[in-house]
Amino acid sequence: MKKLIIAASLCLASFAQADDGEAIYNSACVACHGTGIGPMVHMKGAWQARLEAKGGVDGLLESAKQGLNAMPPMGGCNDCSDEQLRAAITYMTTFQ
Ligand code: HEC
C-alpha cells in the first residue's frame, strides 16, 4: 500500500512539472519560440546543436537567464523561477 501511494505521488509530481513547463511556454515563450523568431518548440533540428554546445538543459537554462541576442534575459519572464524556466526549456526540447 505504501509503495502504491509513493508511486502515485511520483506520478502526480511529474505531471505537474510537465504542465507547468507547457503553461510557462504558452504564456512567456510562445511569441518567439512558436513563431520561428527563436528556435522552434519541439524541433530537434533547432535545438540539438544548442543542447550539445551548452551541455544540455542546465547550460541552456544559464544562457536563457542571461539572455541571448534577440532574447531578453529570463526569456522575458522576470517572475519565473529557475525551476519554471527549466520546465519550459524541457518542454521545448521534448522532440516528437
Ligand atoms: C522576444 C523573443 C523571445 C522570447 C519571448 C523568448 N525567447 Fe528564447 N530565444 C529567442 C531567440 C531569438 C533565440 C536565439 C538567440 C540566438 O541564438 O541568437 C532564443 C534562444 C533560446 C534558448 C537557447 C539559448 C542558447 O544558448 O542557445 C533558450 C534555452 C531559450 N531561448 C529559452 C526561452 C524560454 C524558456 C523562454 C520563455 C520563458 C524564451 N526563450 C522566450 C527569442 C525569445
Side-chain angles (χ1 to χ4, degrees):
M1 188 59 188
K2 209 171 183 185
K3 269 194 187 143
L4 238 181
I5 293 170
I6 292 170
S9 49
L10 279 178
C11 214
L12 277 178
S14 56
F15 275 128
Q17 205 181 12
D19 284 343
D20 204 22
E22 186 175 359
I24 304 242
Y25 163 77
N26 278 319
S27 66
C29 320
V30 67
C32 297
H33 288 274
T35 56
I37 294 171
M40 280 293 277
V41 63
H42 301 320
M43 272 186 59
K44 194 171 186 176
W47 288 102
Q48 193 63 37
R50 291 177 188 273
L51 281 165
E52 281 165 19
K54 301 286 162 82
V57 170
D58 283 345
L60 291 183
L61 172 63
E62 285 311 310
S63 81
K65 282 166 68 176
Q66 285 164 27
L68 187 65
N69 300 318
M71 180 165 69
M74 310 294 286
C77 183
N78 295 319
D79 297 338
C80 282
S81 66
D82 283 10
E83 286 68 32
Q84 288 174 316
L85 288 177
R86 184 196 304 272
I89 295 167
T90 302
Y91 175 76
M92 290 199 281
T93 54
T94 301
F95 308 124
Q96 293 161 341

